[in-house]
Amino acid sequence: MKLRMHWGVAVAVFYTAFALSTVGFVTFAMTRDVELVSADYYQQALSHDRHMQAMANGDALGAAMDATTRAMRGTATLYRPSDSHADRTTALMPAVDGTIVIPTAGLASGRWQLRVQWSAGGRDYYFERDLRLP
């Protein structure tokens, strides 16, 4: 005995399988945590030109950065790409010799990004460095 299937049944089975897989994917996607890279993502996008100028200023400093550290005001952010709740921001406080120490105690090991932004002499500066903590 040979089992024959009408083409209409095949179309119905295909459509049903497609609809069920679509509903399954939508259900899967809705259960995932969606978070932006930062809470004020849209505000940061609006100030992009100012940020790019600060990056150019930071890159242009190079070794001359020592001259700006005495009168600087700014922040250093340790950014964790895999967990936004682990980010840590500290105020920059130069020591008498111009060095700045950013505490890393209590941070998880792995990939971090150091983002430093400061103002000195009426100009804004910014730079980023990738870090790997042991």
Side-chain angles (χ1 to χ4, degrees):
M1 169 176 199
K2 194 170 187 182
L3 185 63
R4 302 191 91 204
M5 186 169 29
H6 188 269
W7 66 270
V9 174
V11 169
V13 167
F14 178 78
Y15 178 74
T16 303
F18 175 76
L20 288 175
S21 64
T22 301
V23 168
F25 178 75
V26 168
T27 302
F28 168 76
M30 295 298 286
T31 61
R32 296 291 157 219
D33 185 27
V34 178
E35 60 181 62
L36 295 173
V37 175
S38 64
D40 60 344
Y41 177 80
Y42 297 108
Q43 182 61 36
Q44 287 180 5
L46 294 174
S47 63
H48 182 69
D49 289 338
R50 202 166 29 118
H51 176 71
M52 294 305 291
Q53 183 60 46
M55 284 181 69
N57 291 343
D59 290 342
L61 271 181
M65 188 171 159
D66 293 339
T68 66
T69 57
R70 286 174 179 49
M72 71 188 309
R73 307 188 104 192
T75 60
T77 301
L78 287 164
Y79 168 74
R80 178 81 168 180
S82 61
D83 182 13
S84 64
H85 301 294
D87 296 352
R88 184 183 293 176
T89 301
T90 58
L92 296 177
M93 293 185 216
V96 175
D97 63 353
T99 60
I100 298 171
V101 176
I102 300 170
T104 59
L107 297 177
S109 62
R111 183 174 180 258
W112 289 82
Q113 192 175 64
L114 174 64
R115 297 176 175 177
V116 181
Q117 65 183 103
W118 73 97
S119 298
R123 295 180 82 179
D124 293 333
Y125 299 91
Y126 178 87
F127 79 88
E128 295 179 357
R129 296 292 185 267
D130 286 332
L131 303 174
R132 180 147 319 263
L133 296 179

